[in-house]
Amino acid sequence: MIEVSETAKKKVIDLMTEGGFDAGKDYVRVGVKSGGCSGLSYELDFDNKVEETDKLFEDNNVRIIVNKKSFLYLVGTVLEYSGGLNGKGFVFNNPNAQRTCGCGESFSL
């Protein structure tokens, strides 16, 4: 399961609308790829189709899809949005991460 905070929900809906997606029927695709200063980095995008290997979740009225490989790294993650003075952007609060980089965009297990 991946959870979505209230602030992340509002930002996701705004960005989906700006990008021509419908938050009521389209998806937020969350994933992990090799790279970043800690070894693995997060991916976040919008999609309108679910692949056969995707897992589908819904939290706080946000529909989320994750491929099976990425799901293993993201179980229990909370997607948040920070708009403070230290920078703007989505934040992945991942309980599986043993170490994260200073920018919060990559992690290692």
Side-chain angles (χ1 to χ4, degrees):
M1 177 75 164
I2 296 175
E3 298 178 30
V4 179
S5 73
E6 190 63 31
T7 54
K9 170 190 168 180
K10 290 175 184 173
K11 191 63 174 177
V12 162
I13 290 171
D14 288 347
L15 291 172
M16 287 182 92
T17 302
E18 287 176 20
F21 289 90
D22 180 349
K25 67 176 187 170
D26 293 324
Y27 306 94
V28 175
R29 179 173 290 282
V30 180
V32 172
K33 66 178 181 177
S34 295
C37 47
S38 292
L40 297 168
S41 61
Y42 298 107
E43 294 183 300
L44 184 79
D45 205 355
F46 304 123
D47 205 336
N48 55 14
K49 53 190 160 191
V50 179
E51 302 296 329
E52 192 173 305
T53 59
D54 288 336
K55 291 194 171 281
L56 175 62
F57 303 96
E58 185 168 337
D59 186 61
N60 206 0
N61 294 319
V62 175
R63 296 162 43 113
I64 303 165
I65 49 178
V66 183
N67 68 45
K68 285 183 182 179
K69 182 180 176 186
S70 293
F71 176 71
L72 298 173
Y73 297 106
L74 296 171
V75 172
T77 295
V78 178
L79 179 63
E80 298 191 30
Y81 183 80
S82 174
L85 295 175
N86 291 334
K88 289 184 179 179
F90 288 99
V91 177
F92 293 83
N93 286 324
N94 185 344
N96 305 302
Q98 299 292 319
R99 186 172 59 106
T100 59
C101 67
C103 65
E105 293 180 12
S106 68
F107 67 102
S108 65
L109 298 177

